[in-house]
Amino acid sequence: SERMRKFKNKGKDAAALRRQRVEVSVELRKAKKDEQILKRRSVLISLMEENLSPEEHKKNEIIQMSLEEIVGAVNGSDTELQLQAVQATRRMLSRQKDPPINQIIELGIVPRLVEFLSRADNAALQFEAAWALTNIASGTSDHTKAVVEGGAIPALVSLLSSPHMHISEQSVWALGNIAGDGPLYRDAIINCHAVPPLLALVSPVIPVGFLRNITWTLSNLCRNKNPCPPLHVVKKILPVLIYLLEYEDKEIISDSCWALSYLTDGSNDRIQIVVDTGVLPRLVQLMTSPELTVMTPALRAIGNVVTGTDEQTQAAIDAGVLAVLPCLLRHVKPTVQKEAAWALSNIAAGPCRQIQQLITCGLLPPLVELLDKGDFRAQKEAVWAVANFTTGGTIEQVVELVQSGILKPLLNLLSSKDSKTILIILDTISNLFLAAEKLGQTNKLCLLVEELDGLEKIEALQTHENNMVYRAALNIIEKYFSGE
Amino acid sequence: QRVLLLVASDVDALCACKILQALFQCDHVQYTLVPVSGWQELETAFLEHKDQFKYFVLINCGANVDLLEILQPEEDTFFFVCDSHRPINVVNIYNDTQIKLLVKQDDDLDVPAYDDIFRDEEEEEEESENESDGSEPSEKRRRYEEDVIERTMRRRQRREWEARRREILFDYEQYEYHGTSSAMVMFDLAWIMSKDLNDMLWWAIVGLTDQWIQDKITQMKYVTDIGILQRHVSRHNHRNEDEENSLSIDCMRIAFEYDLRLALYQHWSLYESLCNTSYTSASLKLWSVQGQKRLQEFLADMGLPLKQVKQKFHSMDMSLKENLREMIEESANKFGMKDLRIQTFSIHFGFKNRFSASDIVYATASLMENIEKEGPETTNFIKALDSLSRGNLDKLHQGLDLAKKQLCAIQQTVASCICTNLVISQGPFLYCSLMEGTPDVKLFSKPVSLCLLSKYLLKSFVCSTKNKRCKLLPLVMAAPMDVEQGTVIMVGIPPETESSDKKKFLQSAFSEEKAADSTNSRTLHNHFDMSIIELKTEDRSKFLDALISLLS
């Protein structure tokens, strides 16, 4: 949780202002686990139908082979039998229910399958082997490990340039699975010089299904931290991602956006590389897409950018992010509300001129609404936005915030169960009183808080089990409400 | 536990209801009876009572739609459905918790196999995956083989299965027809419980006779069911012939008979009955001058003096009545009427009360659709129900009078439709529309009367025309329903030929999603018979056009 606070310096509380998304990714990890079970299947149909040669259809009379027969044939020298065995293997690995990945690995045939990848004279064998390896690599980390240790990476990288499109596509897929395992194998692929031939495949003439596979593999090459992908590779991939963002296909756009969201999820110099490409306006535009699959990663990427420096945040503002946020703050999906509020909280952590832009662009009404009626997790983010606002805003800006009706929903949230949120609200209330003091309107604010049943709630917090909450509440009462 | 009894407005339903009421009384079951004339009333009645009742018995309604779908009942609500409407909705058939169907085991239902029409929906969601939730892309992805091959195969199989399902359901649902009379089913229930009484047996007979008069079942089915009832009749009425005279005033006796197929003749004059019975009127073509002449010749052939024939039947000379049936049958054969005698039953009670089953059907139906307003909506229903009890002779006689008026009105309307060429061929079907202002048109705003008229008209029309193709065509008939609301009622009648084993009308043509929807006509399937619809007068021609193109 050291990462929880990664902020720029501003004032004494600055350390608590801009927050990168750590909680968010924890939740996503969880979501992803469930998703493993339901891997995307429908995506693949069109692609497969395009690629299946008539000859392959013909071979669909299925040859049943036992595992022993497979081992024998694979290790033998009869090419026809080898093909049949690899095909049988691939078929077992492709079935819907419990593919026998472990058993196949235990047969010790993975190195042979890798060998077959190099049999340029036998395209069918190459293809079947690549497919089988793809599916082995799609399993657990141990499964992927077996493929990598069998020496598959260099062989697959050379197949990227195969004259047969279905073979190069299959190796793109296999490499995508290997890269998806984590930074270690991702970089192993990069070190095998996979990126230049992979990028060379991107062209307007290849089928869209193939392009989807390439985009997904590219996104896996941008994915994961500790370490982040090497800078020189990121710089090579970025222009292609930006090119892919211009496609009409929503899956290509979606995966490209995800890649950009991975690349912006890091230190400010990483963010800077993305900002420098000038892609922000396009990302902001995609935030308005009706497709959730496109809008979500675009919002994530922009959200990451505004965790950066004031200049980087300003670049996002200049790209128009403030104009699209109101809609997203009012989105039906709680996760979208939450991400949008998170982005807003980081913009509110900026200098007062950015806060002013936030006001001018009409972000206060949707913020008040969200605080009042939004999903609870989104409300938490909205509380952060208000807190940051009161920390960095001018007296006039804070007055405007109060006038927008923020107090009522804010005070209501004091009944929340989350002591962290309560603490932030109490901090915010203190900030408001500081501003009121400067204007000589402390009494007015006291009355307002009382009228909205806030005093009652703050008093109740004096018995809160959390010591910090108790002290913060007591502090406000003593300071502003004790002297009759 | 109190039971709610929802009963449709047809004679068979009333008879089934009478039997069930007697059974309830026997077992001290508390119940509330609510008559329902259509889907709207059924839904309203259900909504009004669903909080107080958990058990609902539906008679002659509910089988042919997805009940759970339209009523949306709570899970602890149960429906017992005794309904002769076919085909039975497949969901009702395969629901084994909330829907209990009362169906005779030997009824030929031809229900599609479960696996052919239902399947687990596990693979459904596959198509729509969590694509758009905006979460981070997965780090690794497996390439599935079945993405292409297995999935394509599975999808293809699914498509084929769905196409087959549509075909099976289409075959199953396209024709509307009727199964065993609900009154007979209910009587079977009483018999199995050893609680069957002679009164119940009589109601079962009336129920079956209603199906026959309404032309809802084939001759074959009728004769078979008569045979079944005959065994019950002899079981319940096994007294020796010579004991008959000792019958006391409150004893009743049911007898099997080969009786004349002449409507109400024992309560009318033979002449009027001959004129107003569909079978004789159509065979002799009574709407024409030649027809009238043929009638005179027919009477002369029998050797019956006109004076005798025209006076009330019960005042006819006993000597003439003695061999009347044989005499009439003999002459009828010469005039091409080979089926003038039919198997039926009659009931005797008191000193002089004798009614044939068809008398009761006509009388009860007329009371039920009486257009003279005598009170709230349910008055007719209650009165009709009461007329089925032996003690209510006055109501029965009032019903007989109404029935005679109705038969005369039908006969006159048929004659005028044929003489003024109102029946026109629309290509795939015949069509006739009654205009506002036609005499007795109000009578035919009611479904049972309109169906009866339509059936008589089709029979007569087929006899009147030389065009043989008309025998193979169904008839669509329209009549004004509510002048103020500007609505018409329309019925579809199956072709005259009895080539198939079921009396059925192509109901799919009338179904909402077909003709009605393709024209945006404001149609209403308010009737339990799917071949009856209501629509706005101005939509009639649009609807007809759609029907023509659909059936062509």
Side-chain angles (χ1 to χ4, degrees):
Chain A
S1 84
E2 142 231 83
R3 218 154 241 280
M4 280 284 272
R5 309 280 150 97
K6 236 188 138 206
F7 327 95
K8 354 179 234 197
N9 354 319
K10 177 164 2 106
K12 66 173 168 79
D13 266 323
L17 299 187
R18 242 168 228 180
R19 300 156 310 119
Q20 275 193 315
R21 166 243 330 298
V22 173
E23 295 168 74
V24 177
S25 22
V26 171
E27 277 171 38
L28 279 168
R29 271 302 122 67
K30 253 189 282 161
K32 224 166 1 181
K33 267 215 182 103
D34 306 330
E35 199 190 5
Q36 297 280 51
I37 312 155
L38 306 158
K39 296 218 175 99
R40 303 192 299 184
R41 275 172 289 166
S42 38
V43 187
L44 313 178
I45 312 157
S46 59
L47 173 154
M48 307 264 316
E49 275 162 4
E50 283 158 32
N51 285 351
L52 266 188
S53 55
E55 154 193 72
E56 242 197 295
H57 272 301
K58 197 179 67 198
K59 284 188 184 155
N60 282 336
E61 329 98 58
I62 289 164
I63 300 153
Q64 290 285 357
M65 286 175 102
S66 70
L67 291 178
E68 291 74 28
E69 286 170 319
I70 287 175
V71 181
V74 164
N75 291 326
S77 54
D78 182 331
T79 12
E80 194 49 43
L81 276 179
Q82 284 173 351
L83 179 60
Q84 281 178 14
V86 178
Q87 214 162 42
T89 309
R90 176 266 285 174
R91 226 172 248 130
M92 281 190 263
L93 291 167
S94 310
R95 71 183 184 217
Q96 205 55 250
K97 271 195 186 163
D98 325 309
I101 300 183
N102 276 327
Q103 288 103 296
I104 301 279
I105 292 174
E106 278 159 20
L107 293 181
I109 60 168
V110 171
R112 277 295 270 181
L113 292 175
V114 172
E115 259 182 77
F116 294 156
L117 293 179
S118 323
R119 295 271 281 274
D121 58 322
N122 193 340
L125 191 60
Q126 282 182 308
F127 173 70
E128 294 291 352
W131 186 346
L133 289 167
T134 302
N135 285 4
I136 296 172
S138 76
T140 63
S141 267
D142 281 343
H143 298 152
T144 312
K145 191 175 170 195
V147 172
V148 174
E149 288 181 349
I153 294 179
L156 287 167
V157 171
S158 23
L159 282 187
L160 288 177
S161 316
S162 162
H164 306 285
M165 199 191 275
H166 65 293
I167 294 176
S168 73
E169 174 168 16
Q170 197 57 55
S171 44
V172 167
W173 193 328
L175 289 168
N177 277 343
I178 296 170
D181 190 64
L184 193 65
Y185 289 159
R186 177 199 67 202
D187 290 345
I189 291 173
I190 289 169
N191 292 335
C192 276
H193 312 289
V195 174
L198 183 63
L199 295 179
L201 289 171
V202 177
S203 92
V205 296
I206 65 164
V208 67
F210 191 175
L211 211 48
R212 284 177 189 157
N213 262 338
I214 296 171
T215 312
W216 172 72
T217 297
L218 283 176
S219 79
N220 269 356
L221 288 172
C222 298
R223 203 169 184 166
N224 292 313
K225 297 199 271 192
N226 305 319
C228 293
L231 267 182
H232 70 276
V233 171
V234 171
K235 283 178 182 164
K236 271 188 212 147
I237 294 178
L238 262 175
V240 177
L241 289 177
I242 289 163
Y243 165 78
L244 290 170
L245 275 187
E246 299 303 322
Y247 268 77
E248 305 237 314
D249 185 79
K250 66 171 187 184
E251 285 173 43
I252 291 177
I253 298 178
S254 170
D255 281 348
S256 305
C257 284
W258 281 110
L260 289 169
S261 79
Y262 304 146
L263 293 178
T264 48
D265 182 11
S267 58
N268 290 350
D269 54 322
R270 294 271 166 173
I271 295 176
Q272 192 58 41
I273 294 167
V274 175
V275 173
D276 285 344
T277 62
V279 75
L280 297 195
R282 174 65 177 153
L283 281 174
V284 168
Q285 192 188 4
L286 293 171
M287 281 167 72
T288 64
S289 165
E291 296 291 345
L292 214 51
T293 49
V294 170
M295 181 263 273
T296 308
L299 170 59
R300 173 71 57 82
I302 291 292
N304 286 340
V305 169
V306 296
T307 64
T309 65
D310 287 350
E311 291 71 28
Q312 287 164 353
T313 305
Q314 190 60 43
I317 294 174
D318 293 343
V321 65
L322 290 175
V324 302
L325 277 181
C327 228
L328 302 182
L329 290 167
R330 293 173 170 131
H331 200 275
V332 286
K333 287 208 85 166
T335 50
V336 176
Q337 292 176 11
K338 193 190 70 171
E339 289 260 322
W342 170 66
L344 183 63
S345 76
N346 280 331
I347 297 171
C352 54
R353 69 186 150 82
Q354 286 178 355
I355 292 179
Q356 191 55 47
Q357 276 183 294
L358 183 156
I359 296 171
T360 315
C361 288
L363 268 296
L364 289 186
L367 180 62
V368 172
E369 279 170 42
L370 193 64
L371 215 50
D372 190 20
K373 293 197 181 75
D375 170 70
F376 177 64
R377 287 169 308 158
Q379 283 177 328
K380 269 164 79 174
E381 297 295 339
V383 167
W384 269 107
V386 176
N388 288 350
F389 190 112
T390 57
T391 311
T394 64
I395 304 267
E396 292 75 25
Q397 285 168 344
V398 172
V399 168
E400 194 149 354
L401 178 70
V402 173
Q403 281 170 350
S404 71
I406 206 85
L407 258 181
K408 187 166 191 272
L410 193 68
L411 291 170
N412 278 342
L413 284 174
L414 281 176
S415 333
S416 143
K417 301 250 181 309
D418 183 48
S419 30
K420 185 85 200 294
T421 304
I422 295 173
L423 264 178
I424 301 165
I425 297 173
L426 292 176
D427 260 11
T428 307
I429 292 169
S430 294
N431 285 344
L432 293 177
F433 272 110
L434 284 176
E437 267 180 315
K438 283 182 191 156
L439 289 170
Q441 296 196 338
T442 313
N443 278 340
K444 209 173 160 192
L445 185 61
C446 283
L447 275 176
L448 198 54
V449 171
E450 265 195 83
E451 260 174 44
L452 298 168
D453 302 326
L455 180 57
E456 223 173 281
K457 291 199 175 86
I458 299 170
E459 277 175 339
L461 290 175
Q462 294 181 69
T463 60
H464 199 278
E465 56 188 2
N466 184 312
N467 211 24
M468 281 161 69
V469 170
Y470 148 70
R471 260 185 284 153
L474 187 65
N475 188 32
I476 293 175
I477 303 271
E478 280 183 343
K479 243 174 151 174
Y480 304 105
F481 294 97
S482 56
E484 196 40 18
Chain B
Q1 274 282 21
R2 215 177 159 84
V3 175
L4 191 76
L5 203 49
L6 297 163
V7 183
S9 301
D10 64 78
V11 177
D12 180 37
L14 294 183
C15 292
C17 174
K18 288 298 274 188
I19 298 172
L20 188 59
Q21 283 179 301
L23 286 174
F24 279 165
Q25 201 174 8
C26 209
D27 289 351
H28 308 287
V29 177
Q30 304 251 338
Y31 65 90
T32 300
L33 170 64
V34 179
V36 287
S37 68
W39 295 114
Q40 284 179 333
E41 285 186 22
L42 176 63
E43 274 182 68
T44 315
F46 176 74
L47 289 177
E48 276 172 12
H49 295 91
K50 65 175 181 169
D51 295 332
Q52 302 96 282
F53 293 87
K54 293 287 164 231
Y55 296 96
F56 294 81
V57 176
L58 277 64
I59 298 181
N60 269 0
C61 55
N64 54 350
V65 295
D66 186 348
L67 267 186
L68 300 183
E69 175 70 25
I70 67 161
L71 297 181
Q72 304 282 333
E74 299 292 325
E75 283 191 3
D76 58 350
T77 302
F78 299 93
F79 297 93
F80 297 84
V81 181
C82 180
D83 185 2
S84 73
H85 287 99
R86 301 286 181 275
I88 300 176
N89 181 282
V90 287
V91 179
N92 290 343
I93 291 174
Y94 286 113
N95 180 301
D96 54 1
T97 49
Q98 288 185 268
I99 308 250
K100 317 279 182 196
L101 294 166
L102 268 73
V103 179
K104 273 194 80 146
Q105 222 148 40
D106 48 355
D107 258 11
D108 180 17
L109 293 176
D110 292 327
V111 181
Y114 181 87
D115 288 334
D116 285 342
I117 45 174
F118 298 105
R119 71 191 258 169
D120 302 330
E121 302 291 300
E122 48 172 61
E123 302 138 25
E124 285 294 304
E125 21 14 302
E126 245 185 66
E127 302 294 313
S128 59
E129 247 172 56
N130 62 331
E131 258 296 294
S132 58
D133 66 349
S135 57
E136 213 170 336
S138 47
E139 285 152 339
K140 297 175 184 176
R141 303 178 308 172
R142 197 146 58 89
R143 177 170 180 170
Y144 296 100
E145 169 151 55
E146 56 174 15
D147 277 337
V148 202
I149 301 144
E150 282 178 41
R151 279 183 71 152
T152 328
M153 287 292 281
R154 255 195 309 182
R155 255 190 255 149
R156 189 181 305 152
Q157 277 171 3
R158 181 163 191 101
R159 271 199 300 273
E160 281 165 8
W161 181 85
E162 274 165 0
R164 204 171 111 79
R165 175 180 194 270
R166 274 195 297 276
E167 218 170 276
I168 290 172
L169 282 182
F170 179 82
D171 286 348
Y172 178 66
E173 287 170 349
Q174 68 170 329
Y175 292 110
E176 178 182 66
Y177 67 101
H178 286 267
T180 301
S181 128
S182 290
M184 277 187 69
V185 174
M186 210 55 96
F187 178 80
D188 248 33
L189 187 70
W191 176 49
I192 289 164
M193 300 193 302
S194 304
K195 291 190 169 141
D196 55 321
L197 303 169
N198 216 15
D199 275 311
M200 297 181 187
L201 179 55
W202 177 243
W203 291 319
I205 289 168
V206 175
L208 170 63
T209 310
D210 177 52
Q211 284 195 316
W212 183 71
I213 286 174
Q214 298 290 332
D215 211 16
K216 284 177 175 166
I217 49 170
T218 59
Q219 186 68 27
M220 183 72 136
K221 168 80 175 154
Y222 175 70
V223 172
T224 312
D225 286 351
I226 284 281
I228 292 168
L229 289 176
Q230 201 182 345
R231 285 194 287 280
H232 290 297
V233 165
S234 36
R235 191 163 56 80
H236 277 276
N237 303 271
H238 49 67
R239 279 182 212 83
N240 293 327
E241 283 298 312
D242 43 310
E243 274 180 62
E244 196 178 342
N245 296 329
S246 64
L247 266 177
S248 73
I249 191 153
D250 41 52
C251 269
M252 68 173 269
R253 182 179 156 75
I254 302 171
F256 172 81
E257 284 178 4
Y258 275 99
D259 203 354
L260 292 169
R261 190 179 182 172
L262 292 176
L264 307 173
Y265 75 97
Q266 297 184 67
H267 312 276
W268 222 344
S269 73
L270 201 53
Y271 183 80
E272 281 167 301
S273 179
L274 276 168
C275 289
N276 294 303
T277 296
S278 156
Y279 180 70
T280 44
S281 154
S283 304
L284 297 167
K285 303 191 180 81
L286 288 185
W287 53 86
S288 63
V289 182
Q290 288 93 333
Q292 290 295 331
K293 256 172 76 186
R294 255 191 304 279
L295 174 63
Q296 306 301 330
E297 288 164 19
F298 174 61
L299 291 171
D301 189 82
M302 285 188 289
L304 290 174
L306 209 54
K307 187 166 162 269
Q308 284 286 332
V309 172
K310 285 195 173 174
Q311 71 173 315
K312 285 206 184 311
F313 182 79
H314 64 80
S315 319
M316 263 176 88
D317 272 358
M318 286 303 279
S319 57
L320 287 175
K321 279 202 250 183
E322 210 150 296
N323 295 318
L324 187 69
R325 293 180 190 170
E326 287 72 22
M327 283 162 59
I328 292 185
E329 194 180 17
E330 205 184 311
S331 298
N333 274 332
K334 292 188 210 159
F335 283 77
M337 298 183 283
K338 297 201 168 56
D339 304 314
L340 198 59
R341 284 183 71 179
I342 43 133
Q343 307 176 39
T344 183
F345 298 92
S346 63
I347 186 171
H348 304 254
F349 55 91
F351 292 116
K352 55 170 186 164
N353 297 308
R354 179 190 178 276
F355 298 95
S356 92
S358 65
D359 295 339
I360 308 294
V361 171
Y362 284 118
T364 310
S366 296
L367 285 172
M368 203 169 49
E369 292 202 336
N370 188 3
I371 49 170
E372 310 291 333
K373 259 215 173 274
E374 291 183 346
E377 291 297 318
T378 53
T379 314
N380 285 347
F381 180 93
I382 301 297
K383 207 164 176 180
L385 193 65
D386 286 349
S387 77
L388 288 169
S389 302
R390 258 187 293 153
N392 285 315
L393 272 176
D394 51 335
K395 283 179 183 142
L396 183 54
H397 281 296
Q398 192 196 345
L400 288 172
D401 288 342
L402 282 170
K404 289 178 203 166
K405 281 189 202 148
Q406 185 199 41
L407 287 173
C408 291
I410 288 177
Q411 216 42 60
Q412 276 156 22
T413 310
V414 166
S416 87
C417 284
I418 289 178
C419 295
T420 57
N421 296 317
L422 274 183
V423 181
I424 42 179
S425 171
Q426 290 282 15
F429 59 90
L430 301 168
Y431 175 66
C432 176
S433 172
L434 293 183
M435 288 299 135
E436 186 58 44
T438 315
D440 302 310
V441 75
K442 201 152 176 279
L443 204 59
F444 304 118
S445 63
K446 303 281 187 177
V448 175
S449 305
L450 182 62
C451 284
L452 213 51
L453 166 69
S454 308
K455 277 168 180 157
Y456 287 9
L457 177 59
L458 182 58
K459 201 185 274 290
S460 300
F461 180 75
V462 167
C463 291
S464 80
T465 178
K466 293 200 169 57
N467 188 343
K468 290 249 168 61
R469 208 176 79 92
C470 291
K471 271 196 168 179
L472 307 171
L473 294 181
L475 169 70
V476 174
M477 181 122 191
M481 194 171 87
D482 189 319
V483 185
E484 276 159 39
Q485 291 178 15
T487 50
V488 290
I489 178 169
M490 223 181 235
V491 299
I493 303 291
E496 254 302 291
T497 44
E498 251 188 46
S499 56
S500 85
D501 54 344
K502 283 166 191 162
K503 282 280 179 189
K504 52 201 189 179
F505 177 71
L506 201 57
Q507 68 162 343
S508 57
F510 261 36
S511 72
E512 267 130 304
E513 59 277 19
K514 296 280 173 55
D517 260 23
S518 65
T519 57
N520 293 321
S521 311
R522 285 150 288 180
T523 59
L524 188 61
H525 259 275
N526 190 30
H527 295 268
F528 300 127
D529 281 316
M530 291 306 182
S531 53
I532 305 178
I533 56 161
E534 298 167 9
L535 70 167
K536 286 275 179 191
T537 314
E538 61 263 36
D539 290 337
R540 185 169 39 187
S541 57
K542 260 200 305 187
F543 179 79
L544 275 179
D545 289 343
L547 207 54
I548 292 168
S549 64
L550 199 75
L551 293 174
S552 293

